Amino acid sequence: MIIQSISFRSFVHILFKQGDTKNNIKCIYIGKRGDMMSGMVVILLFIIFIAWLAIDLGVGKKIFSQAENTFPKRRASLFLFADGNVLYKDLFHEIENASSFIHLSFYIVQNDEISQEFLDLLVQKAQQNIEVRLLVDRVGSYKIKKNKIAFLKKQGVHFAYSRTLRWPYLFYTLNARNHRKMAVIDGKVGYIGGFNIGREYLGLDAKLGVWKDYHLRMEGEGIQDLQMQLLSDWYAATGLDLRKVERYFPPTSEGDYVIQLQSTEGFSLEESFLSIINQANRELYIGTPYFIPSEPLMNALLQARARGVQVHILIPMRADQPLVHHAAFAYLPTLLQAGCMIYQYYYGFYHAKVLIADNVICDVGTANFDKRSLFLNAEINCLIYDATYIEEVKNSFKACMGECPVLSLEDVKNRKWSEKLKQGFATFISPLL
């Protein structure tokens, strides 16, 4: 501590007074060179680490990404769930009454009483000789115990993990998650959206409170595309290809609305979002739990506002992922200054993923408006082209929006310095949040 408080020249003078000048100069030179070498080693190691991450992410993405699918436009009948209790009641009822097969894929299945009820139901159906397949993300569903998985398999449930860690691309395979939530029952009823399986999705988590989300029930032609994607994910996880099994694709009626399913793997989602934003002429609605747009998306929002589009963005006030929550505030001041309206869901946690441009197109699915969904995760969204149903989704969005306080520029500027510090760090690592 004393040495740190004096100048380098004074330090040299002290050394010279205490011994041989020549030897002391040599000692100082060696010390300085040692410090320089240590610094160079640290910098070199940092460069190697960054290079490894870039190679890991880039090459890993090319090797392990599945093919993206933009399915043809189909007709399907839709029902929108915004309450997990209502969704679970409907989903569990359909599972109970399944007569042929139950195919399910979730990002998260928790280890709690709600998840146990869900898994018990699957065991019950497997014991009735109904084919049950459950695919879960390896990281998202890490809480499922090994003995529980062994029990499921013993009882006849076909269980598999999606997106396991792969050597040597550990960083990519750790971060690129299967974020899809899909269900197909008997080839007649399908589900797609933001709800996973666990008590928090029923609003039973005291910290998060009421859980606001969107999930679609689907019947009609679109079911076959949902089934195809689910079986493609099963093939990628297990090597078992069931995509040509005819009984999984029974004939269906057309359905009421024009829809199109789109599965992405971190390549084309940004372009899809840009297309929707650029179609807006009057109003644009964005609902997302995590708002971390790419630069092109940010520019598209500002351009939409410049051409007179009313831009409404709904995000949660509470945070289930603190850093992700803070990262959003790096983008909000610019949007607020441009005249965008930002709403914060107050009563609990807002987890819905929705993007609506006028009455022309609506996107409901699993993808967040953030860089992880844009460039890393496997997602699936349902594009809706029917003005009547788009109006129904919009009304649900507006009802939620009407309950939310509007964020002002002063609110953002007056955040605590500690929050701004977290914001800076979160912005720096935002591609991985």
Side-chain angles (χ1 to χ4, degrees):
M1 294 298 293
I2 297 174
I3 293 175
Q4 290 176 352
S5 66
I6 63 178
S7 68
F8 179 73
R9 180 177 294 180
S10 299
F11 179 52
V12 172
H13 180 67
I14 291 170
L15 288 176
F16 283 177
K17 286 178 65 178
Q18 292 182 2
D20 181 80
T21 300
K22 187 175 181 180
N23 289 335
N24 282 322
I25 291 174
K26 183 178 180 181
C27 220
I28 293 168
Y29 172 73
I30 293 172
K32 288 186 69 179
R33 189 170 70 171
D35 290 342
M36 289 176 63
M37 289 296 294
S38 297
M40 290 177 64
V41 169
V42 170
I43 292 172
L44 181 60
L45 289 175
F46 180 74
I47 292 172
I48 292 173
F49 177 70
I50 295 299
W52 170 70
L53 289 186
I55 294 170
D56 187 305
L57 286 171
V59 179
K61 188 172 182 177
K62 290 181 179 179
I63 293 176
F64 296 112
S65 293
Q66 297 169 224
E68 295 188 324
N69 285 311
T70 299
F71 294 96
K73 289 183 179 180
R74 312 279 194 192
R75 297 195 66 86
S77 297
L78 303 172
F79 183 86
L80 181 69
F81 295 98
D83 184 320
N85 293 278
V86 182
L87 168 65
Y88 282 15
K89 183 178 180 180
D90 191 83
L91 174 63
F92 287 17
H93 173 76
E94 291 296 340
I95 292 173
E96 284 177 341
N97 289 279
S99 59
S100 180
F101 62 85
I102 301 163
H103 294 168
L104 306 160
S105 175
F106 287 99
Y107 174 58
I108 295 173
V109 174
Q110 295 284 21
N111 183 29
D112 57 25
E113 70 278 11
I114 303 301
S115 300
Q116 189 59 53
E117 180 185 351
F118 169 74
L119 296 176
D120 287 345
L121 181 56
L122 299 188
V123 168
Q124 176 187 324
K125 297 305 294 184
Q127 291 174 342
Q128 297 172 7
N129 294 320
I130 304 300
E131 180 186 307
V132 180
R133 297 185 185 277
L134 175 61
L135 181 67
V136 299
D137 183 81
R138 185 63 184 89
V139 173
S141 297
Y142 74 95
K143 289 185 179 180
I144 304 178
K145 303 297 184 182
K146 289 183 178 180
N147 60 350
K148 189 169 292 186
I149 296 171
F151 178 75
L152 290 172
K153 292 180 176 180
K154 185 177 180 180
Q155 298 304 312
V157 175
H158 301 274
F159 178 94
Y161 276 122
S162 182
R163 304 298 172 101
T164 55
L165 295 182
R166 303 285 186 89
W167 174 262
Y169 304 101
L170 297 179
F171 194 71
Y172 172 76
T173 55
L174 176 65
N175 280 282
R177 310 315 320 150
N178 186 345
H179 195 239
R180 299 179 182 123
K181 300 97 177 169
M182 304 177 287
V184 177
I185 299 164
D186 290 342
K188 299 177 181 178
V189 179
Y191 298 85
I192 172 180
F195 282 98
N196 290 291
I197 302 295
R199 66 193 314 272
E200 65 263 40
Y201 305 102
L202 301 181
L204 299 177
D205 186 293
K207 178 182 176 182
L208 295 174
V210 176
W211 189 277
K212 190 71 172 181
D213 216 329
Y214 281 160
H215 217 91
L216 290 171
R217 174 191 166 110
M218 181 185 302
E219 297 179 61
E221 293 178 335
I223 293 291
Q224 299 200 349
D225 295 333
L226 190 62
Q227 176 72 287
M228 180 60 72
Q229 186 57 54
L230 207 158
L231 293 179
S232 294
D233 288 359
W234 186 268
Y235 173 58
T238 68
L240 179 62
D241 193 350
L242 303 171
R243 290 173 292 184
K244 294 183 179 180
V245 178
E246 290 186 7
R247 70 184 185 91
Y248 295 149
F249 302 91
T252 61
S253 59
E254 279 195 342
D256 300 323
Y257 310 113
V258 178
I259 63 102
Q260 184 175 33
L261 292 181
Q262 181 183 52
S263 71
T264 57
E265 295 273 336
F267 295 100
S268 64
L269 182 61
E270 181 185 50
E271 191 61 37
S272 178
F273 280 177
L274 285 171
S275 174
I276 296 173
I277 293 170
N278 291 333
Q279 290 182 62
N281 291 314
R282 300 187 311 276
E283 52 190 9
L284 184 67
Y285 298 90
I286 300 172
T288 181
Y290 316 120
F291 185 79
I292 309 176
S294 64
E295 185 177 348
L297 286 175
M298 188 69 172
N299 291 336
L301 292 176
L302 295 175
Q303 289 166 9
R305 187 70 197 99
R307 64 177 183 267
V309 177
Q310 297 297 315
V311 179
H312 304 271
I313 301 171
L314 179 54
I315 58 176
M317 182 174 287
R318 302 186 191 187
D320 71 331
Q321 304 288 341
L323 284 179
V324 183
H325 180 75
H326 289 294
F329 283 85
Y331 306 92
L332 300 185
T334 303
L335 294 170
L336 288 167
Q337 287 173 338
C340 298
M341 301 294 291
I342 313 291
Y343 306 83
Q344 288 190 294
Y345 186 68
Y346 176 78
Y347 296 101
F349 185 67
Y350 187 84
H351 193 251
K353 304 95 165 49
V354 59
L355 180 56
I356 308 170
D358 299 334
N359 275 7
V360 176
I361 186 169
C362 171
D363 184 324
V364 176
T366 70
N368 300 309
F369 207 85
D370 70 353
K371 293 176 183 176
R372 173 170 285 278
S373 285
L374 291 169
F375 305 119
L376 279 174
N377 285 347
E379 308 282 2
I380 185 164
N381 287 10
C382 180
L383 302 176
I384 304 167
Y385 297 96
D386 189 279
T388 304
Y389 200 80
I390 293 173
E391 189 66 27
E392 185 176 331
V393 178
K394 189 188 300 182
N395 288 338
S396 175
F397 186 92
K398 286 182 176 179
C400 184
M401 193 173 72
E403 300 174 346
C404 301
V406 179
L407 190 68
S408 69
L409 190 58
E410 288 70 26
D411 293 331
V412 178
K413 289 182 176 179
N414 292 334
R415 298 179 80 221
K416 297 177 182 178
W417 69 267
S418 57
E419 292 178 328
K420 292 181 179 179
L421 186 64
K422 293 175 184 176
Q423 172 188 318
F425 177 70
T427 303
F428 177 71
I429 63 170
S430 61
L432 299 176
L433 292 178

